[in-house]
Structure formats: structure tokens, C-alpha cells
Amino acid sequence: MNGLIAELARLTGQADEVILHVALVFMRVGAAVFLLPALGEMALPRRVRLGAAVTITLVLAPAVPQGSTPGMVEFVSEAVTGLALGMGLRLFILGLQTAGAMAAQSTSLAQMFSGTGPEPQPAIASLLTLGGLALFVTMGGLERSVALLLQSYEMVPAGRMLVPGDLAHWGIARVARVFALAFALAAPFLIAALLYNLTLGVINRAMPMLMVALIGAPALTLGGLVLLAATAPLMLEIWGSSIDAALARGPAGG
């Protein structure tokens, strides 16, 4: 590794300490970028994501205080910090996908319109995810994420290891919050499916000879699509407010 640093220093005309400092910043930024919404999507080419990580690193490196010469432990700690920051925002995308999966399952659309790809998901989840990513970009989420990375150095200086207990507490709280958000977003579909099944059960008891499943299934699918058209804008608005609040709280709350 020392030989590589020396060669980079020779090619760039910079001192070894500067190259090590930039590499240390890249460890945190690169790990976070590969999980951030929009930039961390699998559909985005890896070269584009790598180029974004390098660009953000070059922008942030001069603003990050330079400490002592880092070692392997410092590089690993920076990668862990970056992964934690990136996952904190990635969970919002996973929450939106979970809400879409619950909505599709409750309206019998999960199997009918399931997606194809490395991570198959129902069409409702794909639609909400694309809408959420577009909303995240238009609300300045990428720029605010870069600012969040810069703020993280005030709480966790470069090369300092995160406290495992604090990280676990923060992670559990974030997962619980995002799952509650996903359940709240899918609540209209879950309530509608519950009322539908109760009504279907009453009709089936009153008219045992009637094939209520054959009659009710198309109605459930149509009702699910109508409900999606009516509630999707509100779902994305609520989701956008949640991720906006997380970005505003900074690294500790976000």
C-alpha cells in the first residue's frame, strides 16, 4: 500500500499525507454513495457511481480536517461510518418498497404484476419507488446528502471508530421508525382488504352456493388500482416529508 501511495504522490505531485487524507475521505464517501437513494441504485452503472463518489470526495476533502497518518483501522472505521450514513437514508427506500409490497399483497396484485430483475418486487412497489426517487432528487436530496456527509465529520471525526452500542441503538430506532412509516403508508390498502374479506365472509355465509371468490377477486383488483390512483400522491407526500425531516435532523437523527 505504501508503494501505491508513493506512486500516486509522484503522479499527482502531492505529498503522501495529502493522498492518504483523500483516500480516507473516499472510504466514508464511497461507502455512503453506494447506498444513497438515486446514486446507489443498481440500475445506475458502477462507473457512474464511482465517478460520483470520487467527485464528492474531491469536493469534501479540503473541508475535512487532516489528522495524523491513518492506518488500516482508520480506513475500516471510515467505511463503517459511511455505510451507516448511507443505510440510514437507504432504509427510506426500503420502507417505500415494503409499503408497496404490503399494498400489493393485500389487493392480490403481488403475484399478478410482480417485477423481474435482480430484486423482483410488485408493480406497486416499483411505481412508488420510482416516484420516491424522483421526489428525492427534485427536493434537493442529493445536495443535502452531501452536506450531511460533511456534517458527519463534526460528530465522528475522520478515523474515529463509531461506538458499537450507540450504532446499534441508532440502527434499531431507525428500522422501527421506517417500518412504522411503511405500515402507515399501506394502511388504506390493509383496511380496505380487511373490510373486503369481512364482507366476503358475510356474503358467503348468507349464500353458501354462490362462488363469491370468483365475483369478488376482480372487484378487489379494480378497487386496489382505484385506491392506488387516489392515495399514491398522498403516500409520496408523507414519505417525502419524513425523509426531509431526517435530512434536516442531521447525522444523529437522520
Side-chain angles (χ1 to χ4, degrees):
M1 182 174 179
N2 292 333
L4 177 61
I5 296 299
E7 184 64 20
L8 288 174
R10 185 185 66 81
L11 293 175
T12 59
Q14 301 291 335
D16 293 356
E17 293 77 9
V18 176
I19 300 298
L20 285 172
H21 174 67
V22 174
L24 191 66
V25 174
F26 177 78
M27 293 299 294
R28 180 180 299 197
V29 172
V33 164
F34 274 71
L35 287 175
L36 287 178
L39 284 180
E41 306 307 315
M42 294 296 295
L44 202 63
R46 294 184 179 180
R47 293 181 180 179
V48 175
R49 289 185 283 171
L50 180 59
V54 172
T55 302
I56 296 173
T57 299
L58 295 178
V59 171
L60 295 185
V64 177
Q66 185 173 347
S68 58
T69 303
M72 186 59 64
V73 175
E74 285 75 15
F75 281 103
V76 173
S77 65
E78 285 299 289
V80 172
T81 303
L83 289 174
L85 293 171
M87 182 56 68
L89 294 177
R90 171 57 54 178
L91 282 174
F92 281 95
I93 300 297
L94 297 179
L96 202 56
Q97 294 175 351
T98 302
M102 288 192 291
Q105 189 68 39
S106 60
T107 54
S108 300
L109 296 175
Q111 291 78 24
M112 188 178 301
F113 299 110
S114 60
T116 57
E119 296 182 3
Q121 56 184 344
I124 294 180
S126 299
L127 178 64
L128 292 177
T129 301
L130 289 176
L133 292 175
L135 179 61
F136 179 79
V137 173
T138 55
M139 65 186 289
L142 292 178
E143 296 88 339
R144 297 175 67 182
S145 298
V146 174
L148 194 71
L149 282 171
L150 183 59
Q151 294 175 17
S152 68
Y153 285 97
E154 299 178 1
M155 296 188 59
V156 185
R160 181 174 298 179
M161 181 69 71
L162 287 171
V163 180
D166 295 342
L167 180 60
H169 178 75
W170 176 85
I172 292 173
R174 169 47 55 86
V175 170
R177 188 181 304 123
V178 171
F179 184 79
L181 174 64
F183 189 84
L185 294 177
F189 296 89
L190 300 177
I191 295 173
L194 176 62
L195 295 176
Y196 162 81
N197 286 294
L198 289 176
T199 304
L200 210 63
V202 172
I203 296 175
N204 191 32
R205 291 296 299 270
M207 306 174 64
M209 300 302 295
L210 180 65
M211 300 295 292
V212 292
L214 297 179
I215 300 175
L220 178 62
T221 301
L222 177 61
L225 294 176
V226 172
L227 188 60
L228 175 64
T231 60
L234 180 60
M235 294 171 67
L236 290 176
E237 182 179 355
I238 295 174
W239 180 85
S241 300
S242 299
I243 196 170
D244 179 72
L247 289 170
R249 284 192 296 267

